[in-house]
Amino acid sequence: QVQPVESGGGLVEAGGSLRLSCAPSGRTFSSYDIAWFRQAPGKEREFVGAISGIGGVAYYTDSVKGRFTISRDNTQTTVYLQMNRLKPEDTAVYYCAAAFTSSVISSVIVSSRSRYDYWGQGTQVTVSS
């Protein structure tokens, strides 16, 4: 079992950058697909992006493509979400989630909340205008 722990949230002006980190408590992230979701006040939790455990393929929702980048370090201990050119609409609590990886994967599969068994507590990102 792996427990994701997020860090790196904060307050930033529009156009600025933040980097979120997701580290596993209990074991490494090897063999796990890792995703980032976010939830703004009064809204459903939505998919932001994911990185596969096999091959390190990254997936993104359209609204963050070209601005956000997901990566994982070589030791499989940390996954990062680099967020550039932030907008006020990016304001949300950001959650890291983990699911045991599969050889059958697609953008539809990785973006499904129900796929992920392990969730972090979330970290707040606030973008001021």
Side-chain angles (χ1 to χ4, degrees):
Q1 185 170 343
V2 61
Q3 178 60 49
V5 179
E6 307 94 338
S7 62
L11 173 65
V12 64
E13 292 185 350
S17 299
L18 277 176
R19 188 177 78 162
L20 305 184
S21 299
C22 178
S25 173
R27 56 184 303 170
T28 69
F29 277 150
S30 61
S31 302
Y32 285 87
D33 300 328
I34 306 299
W36 289 94
F37 288 78
R38 66 186 180 187
Q39 188 166 19
K43 294 188 177 181
E44 294 287 320
R45 191 171 298 188
E46 65 172 358
F47 173 74
V48 175
I51 188 165
S52 65
I54 300 175
V57 179
Y59 302 83
Y60 303 96
T61 192
D62 286 345
S63 63
V64 307
K65 283 181 181 176
R67 300 189 298 124
F68 291 12
T69 303
I70 296 176
S71 61
R72 58 200 309 164
D73 67 10
N74 292 333
T75 63
Q76 302 286 348
T77 57
T78 305
V79 171
Y80 302 99
L81 178 65
Q82 177 67 45
M83 305 185 294
N84 298 327
R85 305 201 312 272
L86 282 160
K87 304 175 181 180
E89 51 264 45
D90 295 317
T91 295
V93 177
Y94 282 70
Y95 297 90
C96 179
F100 197 76
T101 197
S102 170
S103 59
V104 178
I105 197 167
S106 69
S107 59
V108 173
I109 292 172
V110 298
S111 63
S112 172
R113 281 167 42 185
S114 63
R115 179 165 190 272
Y116 296 91
D117 301 308
Y118 309 105
W119 291 82
Q121 293 300 306
T123 185
Q124 176 70 47
V125 172
T126 303
V127 184
S128 63
S129 57

